[in-house]
Amino acid sequence: MHIRPLHRTWTVCAIALTTAGLLTACSNSADEASSMAGTSSDSAVFPVTIEHAFGETVVPEEPTRIVVAGYTEQDTVLALGVVPVGVTEWYGDQPYATWPWAQAALGDAQPEVLSATGDGFEEEKIAALEPDLIIATNAGLTEDTYDRLSDIAPTLAQSDASTAYFEPWDVQAEKIGRALGKKTEVDALIDGVNQKFADAAAAHPEFADKKAIFLQNAFYEGKAIAYQDGLSTDFMTKLGFVVPDDIDAYVPADGGGQASIPLENLSVLNAADVLIWGTEGPGDRAELEKEAVYDALEPVEDGNLVFTDGVTAGAIYFTSVLSLPYVIDKLAPALDEALDGTPATITG
């Protein structure tokens, strides 16, 4: 089973949430989302029919026992004021597979945590939770796994075969909102995220048309992993940046939008006005700086660098209605500094 479309070795550890500022920021994002979403579904809309890659799913009545079988969909469910009975751990070892930006929406709830493993879905555990809806829009469903999960409960799948993982966040959110009877609420959430991007772009006109490249936290097997325009780069382009197509030459045929750049060709990163490294701890930056070819890059010499912390990197990869506002709040001021030639390190 293909666990994730991100070609990286996750250097993951539990992130201690001891910083009051981080907790406040996360609480604000989740509280704002919950207030926009409301907590009640419109029961008059049921039954609801959702089309997807394997046909259509009918949700006969308002679901009350929801299992999230995908990697990131709990954010949307929680943002809509609904607490799932089961969630899936993707990475990060966060409490109840819920990252800081969504913890306020989770509250004191303790959903069952399922594992995303190469062995497939934990179908027995899912069935034991007696769900009336299984959400798996970001779960890599095949027709076979969809059929098996549908034998347990109505199952929400990805839109088509090409989006088995990481379908656009707003497309996923809209389907989930309709399945929960909360179309008005989810539309408001999506509009709110887009407006936050627009406001941040307007507040930082210096971002417009600047070239930015987002990279993973380290060099893997002598290569840097950078992202083409599309996968994991909306957070930059919606702020006004453009992703230079110079890196496209290093995307393999099955690369899924990821450029795998050998260190001997790392100078291609000089096409960027700013480099954003998805670092997860101080040691990551130190490891990058051990490579002479890294130190010789123009953005490195000019200080046009952003280094994330582990939570911000996770928020970028989650790309959800709850994580994206967190990304904007953390990244916009850091990018402002980096463009002025001061390397910015995001911390909790």
Side-chain angles (χ1 to χ4, degrees):
M1 177 183 174
H2 186 48
I3 293 299
R4 59 181 69 91
L6 304 175
H7 180 85
R8 70 191 295 265
T9 301
W10 293 98
T11 54
V12 174
C13 63
I15 299 171
L17 306 179
T18 56
T19 305
L22 171 60
L23 291 173
T24 301
C26 298
S27 176
N28 288 345
S29 296
D31 287 347
E32 288 172 7
S34 295
S35 65
M36 284 191 293
T39 57
S40 62
S41 299
D42 181 0
S43 59
V45 305
F46 294 97
V48 174
T49 300
I50 311 291
E51 295 182 354
H52 51 70
F54 309 114
E56 59 184 33
T57 292
V58 177
V59 184
E61 57 187 6
E62 180 181 346
T64 60
R65 295 186 61 80
I66 297 161
V67 169
V68 173
Y71 300 161
T72 57
E73 300 95 307
Q74 61 264 45
D75 277 12
T76 301
V77 176
L78 290 168
L80 289 167
V82 179
V83 176
V85 297
V87 295
T88 296
E89 168 69 18
W90 176 26
Y91 88 101
D93 196 24
Q94 298 294 327
Y96 301 103
T98 303
W99 284 66
W101 56 80
Q103 278 290 333
L106 179 67
D108 296 330
Q110 299 180 358
E112 179 81 14
V113 178
L114 306 166
S115 296
T117 69
D119 297 326
F121 299 98
E122 296 185 302
E123 294 172 27
E124 290 186 5
K125 287 186 178 181
I126 292 174
L129 291 170
E130 300 181 346
D132 49 19
L133 179 65
I134 299 171
I135 296 178
T137 56
N138 189 22
L141 284 183
T142 63
E143 188 163 9
D144 180 59
T145 53
Y146 167 75
D147 289 341
R148 293 206 305 271
L149 290 178
S150 294
D151 286 340
I152 299 171
T155 298
L156 203 59
Q158 69 269 17
S159 294
D160 57 64
S162 67
T163 57
Y165 292 96
F166 292 90
E167 185 170 32
W169 65 272
D170 51 349
V171 175
Q172 289 191 65
E174 193 274 337
K175 287 194 298 185
I176 293 168
R178 283 195 291 126
L180 299 182
K182 291 176 174 284
K183 176 171 172 48
T184 300
E185 292 89 336
V186 80
D187 287 348
L189 282 172
I190 293 168
D191 289 346
V193 174
N194 287 328
Q195 187 61 54
K196 189 173 180 73
F197 270 114
D199 291 345
H204 294 279
E206 69 275 14
F207 294 171
D209 299 324
K210 288 292 194 300
K211 295 180 179 180
I213 297 177
F214 172 53
L215 301 105
Q216 289 180 12
N217 64 319
F219 299 129
Y220 295 101
E221 299 178 350
K223 297 178 180 180
I225 309 302
Y227 288 86
Q228 276 184 301
D229 187 17
L231 178 65
S232 290
T233 59
D234 273 359
F235 74 96
M236 300 188 302
T237 55
K238 285 181 177 291
L239 289 173
F241 291 92
V242 295
V243 181
D245 59 12
D246 304 62
I247 65 173
D248 294 354
Y250 299 96
V251 178
D254 60 350
Q258 299 164 356
S260 185
I261 306 169
L263 291 184
E264 59 266 27
N265 300 117
L266 203 63
S267 61
V268 70
L269 299 182
N270 289 333
D273 295 302
V274 62
L275 300 178
I276 304 168
W277 294 89
T279 49
E280 298 177 7
D284 288 348
R285 178 178 180 179
E287 286 299 311
L288 294 172
E289 291 172 344
K290 289 181 180 179
E291 295 288 345
V293 66
Y294 166 86
D295 292 326
L297 291 173
E298 293 173 12
V300 174
E301 292 179 339
D302 295 340
N304 306 131
L305 302 167
V306 173
F307 301 96
T308 71
D309 61 355
V311 175
T312 306
I316 291 171
Y317 292 126
F318 255 67
T319 311
S320 74
V321 293
L322 285 182
S323 77
L324 287 172
Y326 183 89
V327 171
I328 296 168
D329 288 342
K330 289 292 185 178
L331 202 61
L335 284 164
D336 189 35
E337 291 181 31
L339 287 174
D340 282 342
T342 302
T345 300
I346 297 174
T347 63

